Amino acid sequence: MLNTALETLSTPALILDEDRMLRNVQRLRDCLLPHGVSIRPHLKTVKSVEGARRILEGGNGPATVSTLKEAEVFAAAGVTDILYAVGIAPDKLERVCRIRAGGCSLSVTLDTAAQAEAVVKAAKKAGMVIPALIEIDCDNHRAGLNPHSPELLRIGRILAAGSCLRGVMTHAGESYKAVGADALAACAEVERAAVVQAAGTLAGVGLACPVVSVGATPTAHFARDLSGVTEVRAGVYVMFDLVMAGTGTCTLDDIALSVLTTVIGHQQEQGWIMVDAGWMALSRDRGTATQAVDQGYGLVCDVEGRLLEGLFVLSVNQEHGIVASRPGASTPLPHLPLGTRLRILPNHACATGGQHDGYHVVQAAEPNRLAYWPRFRGW
Amino acid sequence: MLNTALETLSTPALILDEDRMLRNVQRLRDCLLPHGVSIRPHLKTVKSVEGARRILEGGNGPATVSTLKEAEVFAAAGVTDILYAVGIAPDKLERVCRIRAGGCSLSVTLDTAAQAEAVVKAAKKAGMVIPALIEIDCDNHRAGLNPHSPELLRIGRILAAGSCLRGVMTHAGESYKAVGADALAACAEVERAAVVQAAGTLAGVGLACPVVSVGATPTAHFARDLSGVTEVRAGVYVMFDLVMAGTGTCTLDDIALSVLTTVIGHQQEQGWIMVDAGWMALSRDRGTATQAVDQGYGLVCDVEGRLLEGLFVLSVNQEHGIVASRPGASTPLPHLPLGTRLRILPNHACATGGQHDGYHVVQAAEPNRLAYWPRFRGW
């Protein structure tokens, strides 16, 4: 049965499979339920109010964001508890105060005494508190304090003196490089141990640390022990992608995001099928390049989303994609005439989503009706 | 002197140096003047009406685009001669006809008989001509016919029978991998020879071929002979970037585009300076990775645009960038405290620009006044 809605949409276009998304959302809830921790989904992946309603607990429960623009949009949509999980720049604090004054409990993240002082000063000036989480570095991936750093207590005391200490957080960014349940569980334990230790250090000198936050999609799904943790953040799990499949966190059937494209030509001698999705539609992300299986710029499905075995997107220009047989593929290049619709599974859902203004949403129950959920961007 | 406008802008933000851009635009005009060819700038880089006015001859002269959205926006802004330089999908022809009916002479690109038949059919149905260029493949880079292909005459005859044959075009995509004046001049000659031969083949059987179009930024600047060519297309030259500097097509001082960012932390032990420009602001483009000098995710300048020697953007997450010393750098990591403003020169101007909603435009004559030129995107 042809999906007439997807056959007539102008291409390239971003397609979201809502059934898969809802299944992914429920899977992580089920996964975390036995641990008794709350979930604070990271909305940097979906960047859509309609999407967030289906992801957040009760439709507008606790959320994580990566920009103040996200905080503003989701606060305006009724989300009342948001963590801005990128280190706060002092000149952004006025904007934080405005969002908080609007009724959203926005909290910030920091890892230096200078930031803590700026937070306390801005809070005092605005006559409010600005709850702050101290970022802990659990795996030398990015930002954060070593949990053993003497700066931890110094920052904790500065924040506590201004009533701005809310807790500690970390992100096991290195878990994206691990593969399989045991390796991912080990990353989760590294993540848990670092942040629980930091919380203990603060509590040990009487600095209350109500929030102990961890988060990364792979660790959220494979953690075996979350003792001492109060909440888990994760983002890309709602969509999943080829990088996550490469880590063993999901299967290809879990990937909810794809880019609809049209065949615009063939280079017979090269074995290339030209499509109208280039890097502008797929993103330049090559996250699978360092994994065991390099997926090029994405895997290729038919218009219904069924994988076409042995194909991948070999290369891209701005508005051209080149589909070809994978190295070593045993199946011949299929006959895909001019005008054929295909769907490309992305390496990285956050990056591919970011290239589009909205989702065309498919649901099995109504195969020929597409909903449209606008996305936003900017800072 | 501090640039107060750039010190107070919310970050990350896209900065365009208008003086450099105008210099780049003039340089290519001067370069092509002795050849007696016209210039048809590719607007996929700038994607801004204000920008296009400064790039096109007379403000609205001939242009090239990579999407029909670009064609629609620039046609609405008064550009009357546009080439859509991506192989036409038959289902996009209705939209092409609508743009043409609005008064813009939009032409299309194709390389198959099936596309030529679809163009002639759509033109007939709409009661107009749809001028088409046959794409020639000069260097096995992407789309197009081998200039020796027997399909060339077949397609030419189909188009000519429907009064839709306008000419031939090619793009020396492989020139992005060449380095230095002699190598780039050789690419330009490959480009010229292929398309001039194809035009001759068509003319030899009486198929009029008024347009003979070549184009790529490196070849446009280094071509020594353009005999037989009628027009040159180029896009990224208006901004330039690190990839173009790596080919020797420009110097770092020609790069007109940068991303303004703020220092948000330090990882002293790692030698990392954290900034608030990640891949969402810089793009995932790693075009310099295969060049002689890998520039990471970009080079680092102070807020005035002066290069900070020895630094680069080592890695990025969605909203975090990590600035570090280049491998082998002899200068120590400079002291860049929390809140310091920096500017990052991009690998690929088209990709970095695509991540932003507009340009904050600086001009030496008015250092503390920023103009704002909106960008658009989508298809």
Side-chain angles (χ1 to χ4, degrees):
Chain A
M1 179 202 66
L2 275 183
N3 186 315
T4 51
L6 293 185
E7 288 289 351
T8 54
L9 206 58
S10 181
T11 59
L14 188 66
I15 309 300
L16 173 58
D17 183 322
E18 187 176 357
D19 302 316
R20 289 185 179 192
M21 188 188 95
L22 296 177
R23 200 174 72 200
N24 295 337
V25 167
Q26 191 57 47
R27 186 188 301 112
L28 185 58
R29 284 182 189 164
D30 294 345
C31 204
L32 293 174
L33 195 63
H35 294 290
V37 296
S38 66
I39 180 166
R40 181 183 287 279
H42 204 316
L43 301 178
K44 76 186 179 72
T45 309
V46 76
K47 290 216 183 205
S48 147
V49 170
E50 288 79 356
R53 298 252 179 266
R54 289 154 177 87
I55 295 167
L56 301 180
E57 290 280 358
N60 61 359
T64 311
V65 299
S66 67
T67 65
L68 290 183
K69 172 76 167 278
E70 291 166 49
E72 287 163 350
V73 170
F74 293 117
V79 181
T80 57
D81 177 3
I82 298 178
L83 169 65
Y84 171 50
V86 174
I88 186 73
D91 74 306
K92 293 193 169 90
L93 284 163
E94 271 191 42
R95 215 167 140 197
V96 168
C97 291
R98 281 199 299 276
I99 298 168
R100 288 187 57 78
C104 174
S105 176
L106 177 65
S107 50
V108 300
T109 303
L110 53 82
D111 62 3
T112 66
Q115 286 168 302
E117 283 161 1
V119 162
V120 168
K121 189 176 160 190
K124 194 172 171 188
K125 186 178 166 195
M128 59 172 63
V129 299
I130 301 174
L133 299 191
I134 303 173
E135 184 162 8
I136 303 300
D137 178 12
C138 64
D139 57 7
N140 298 319
H141 176 72
R142 194 166 71 189
L145 289 174
N146 184 301
H148 302 280
S149 167
E151 285 297 293
L152 175 62
L153 282 181
R154 185 176 163 217
I155 295 170
R157 288 190 171 110
I158 295 168
L159 290 174
S163 304
C164 292
L165 179 61
R166 185 170 190 196
V168 289
M169 64 87 84
T170 193
H171 165 66
E174 291 297 296
S175 67
Y176 286 69
K177 299 175 189 166
V179 178
D182 289 343
L184 294 170
C187 291
E189 178 53 22
V190 165
E191 190 178 43
R192 187 198 72 85
V195 78
V196 167
Q197 167 162 12
T201 300
L202 291 166
V205 298
L207 297 173
C209 191
V211 174
V212 181
S213 178
V214 298
T217 284
T219 57
H221 289 76
F222 289 94
R224 291 168 184 164
D225 174 18
L226 287 170
S227 319
V229 167
T230 65
E231 70 175 28
V232 170
R233 311 179 318 278
V236 77
Y237 75 101
V238 301
M239 305 292 183
F240 278 132
D241 52 30
L242 295 172
V243 167
M244 283 296 107
T247 67
T249 305
C250 70
T251 68
L252 295 182
D253 284 340
D254 295 325
I255 300 176
L257 203 68
S258 60
V259 174
L260 184 72
T261 185
T262 301
V263 172
I264 57 170
H266 299 81
Q267 291 292 60
Q268 306 284 5
E269 287 179 26
Q270 312 254 29
W272 293 349
I273 299 163
M274 312 301 298
V275 297
D276 68 354
W279 59 251
M280 190 62 88
L282 298 175
S283 93
R284 266 289 190 199
D285 198 282
R286 288 282 291 109
T288 58
T290 52
Q291 293 190 322
V293 180
D294 182 345
Q295 309 285 24
Y297 283 90
L299 292 184
V300 183
C301 300
D302 69 12
V303 71
E304 302 289 348
R306 290 175 298 239
L307 195 70
L308 298 177
E309 297 283 352
L311 294 185
F312 75 155
V313 181
L314 169 69
S315 76
V316 287
N317 289 138
Q318 187 159 339
E319 300 292 350
H320 294 81
I322 299 180
V323 170
S325 290
R326 304 177 63 97
S330 55
T331 45
L333 205 63
H335 179 60
L336 299 168
L338 182 73
T340 303
R341 294 290 168 107
L342 300 170
R343 279 162 71 180
I344 312 295
L345 301 181
N347 280 323
H348 186 176
C350 307
T352 300
Q355 301 298 108
H356 295 263
D357 286 332
Y359 302 98
H360 300 275
V361 183
V362 296
Q363 255 194 324
E366 292 188 87
N368 287 315
R369 189 186 148 268
L370 295 177
Y372 184 75
W373 299 350
R375 284 179 55 97
F376 62 91
R377 65 172 189 165
W379 294 271
Chain B
M1 180 202 64
L2 276 183
N3 186 315
T4 52
L6 293 185
E7 287 290 351
T8 53
L9 207 57
S10 181
T11 58
L14 188 65
I15 309 300
L16 173 58
D17 183 322
E18 187 176 356
D19 301 318
R20 288 185 180 192
M21 187 189 96
L22 295 177
R23 199 174 71 199
N24 295 337
V25 168
Q26 191 58 45
R27 186 188 302 111
L28 185 58
R29 285 182 187 164
D30 294 346
C31 203
L32 292 175
L33 195 62
H35 294 289
V37 295
S38 65
I39 181 166
R40 181 183 288 279
H42 204 316
L43 301 178
K44 76 186 179 70
T45 309
V46 76
K47 290 218 183 203
S48 148
V49 171
E50 288 79 356
R53 297 253 181 265
R54 288 155 178 86
I55 295 168
L56 301 180
E57 289 281 358
N60 62 359
T64 311
V65 299
S66 68
T67 64
L68 290 184
K69 173 76 168 280
E70 291 166 50
E72 287 163 350
V73 170
F74 293 118
V79 180
T80 57
D81 176 3
I82 298 179
L83 169 64
Y84 170 49
V86 174
I88 187 73
D91 74 306
K92 292 192 168 89
L93 283 164
E94 271 190 42
R95 213 168 142 198
V96 168
C97 291
R98 280 200 300 276
I99 298 168
R100 288 186 57 79
C104 174
S105 175
L106 177 64
S107 49
V108 301
T109 303
L110 53 81
D111 62 2
T112 66
Q115 287 167 302
E117 283 161 1
V119 162
V120 168
K121 189 177 161 192
K124 195 173 172 188
K125 187 179 167 196
M128 57 171 64
V129 299
I130 302 175
L133 298 191
I134 303 174
E135 184 163 8
I136 303 301
D137 179 12
C138 64
D139 57 7
N140 299 319
H141 177 71
R142 195 167 70 189
L145 289 175
N146 183 301
H148 302 279
S149 168
E151 285 297 292
L152 176 62
L153 282 181
R154 183 174 164 221
I155 295 171
R157 288 189 173 110
I158 294 168
L159 290 174
S163 304
C164 291
L165 178 61
R166 185 169 191 198
V168 289
M169 63 87 84
T170 193
H171 166 65
E174 291 296 296
S175 66
Y176 287 70
K177 300 176 187 165
V179 178
D182 288 343
L184 295 170
C187 290
E189 179 53 22
V190 165
E191 190 178 44
R192 187 197 72 85
V195 78
V196 167
Q197 168 163 12
T201 300
L202 291 166
V205 298
L207 297 172
C209 191
V211 174
V212 181
S213 177
V214 298
T217 284
T219 56
H221 289 76
F222 289 93
R224 290 169 184 165
D225 174 18
L226 288 171
S227 318
V229 167
T230 65
E231 68 175 29
V232 171
R233 310 179 319 277
V236 78
Y237 75 101
V238 301
M239 304 293 183
F240 278 130
D241 53 30
L242 294 172
V243 166
M244 284 296 107
T247 66
T249 305
C250 69
T251 68
L252 296 182
D253 284 341
D254 294 325
I255 300 176
L257 203 69
S258 60
V259 174
L260 184 72
T261 186
T262 302
V263 172
I264 58 169
H266 299 82
Q267 291 292 59
Q268 306 285 5
E269 286 179 26
Q270 312 254 30
W272 292 349
I273 300 162
M274 313 299 299
V275 298
D276 69 354
W279 58 252
M280 190 62 88
L282 298 175
S283 94
R284 266 289 190 200
D285 197 284
R286 289 282 290 109
T288 57
T290 52
Q291 293 190 322
V293 180
D294 182 345
Q295 310 284 24
Y297 283 90
L299 291 184
V300 183
C301 301
D302 68 11
V303 70
E304 301 289 348
R306 289 175 297 238
L307 195 70
L308 298 176
E309 297 283 353
L311 294 185
F312 75 154
V313 181
L314 170 68
S315 76
V316 287
N317 289 138
Q318 187 159 339
E319 299 292 350
H320 295 81
I322 299 181
V323 170
S325 289
R326 306 177 63 97
S330 55
T331 46
L333 204 63
H335 179 60
L336 298 168
L338 181 73
T340 302
R341 294 291 168 105
L342 300 171
R343 280 162 72 181
I344 312 295
L345 301 181
N347 279 324
H348 187 176
C350 307
T352 300
Q355 301 297 109
H356 296 261
D357 286 333
Y359 302 98
H360 300 275
V361 183
V362 296
Q363 255 194 324
E366 292 190 85
N368 287 316
R369 189 185 149 270
L370 294 178
Y372 184 76
W373 299 350
R375 283 179 56 98
F376 62 91
R377 65 173 190 165
W379 293 270

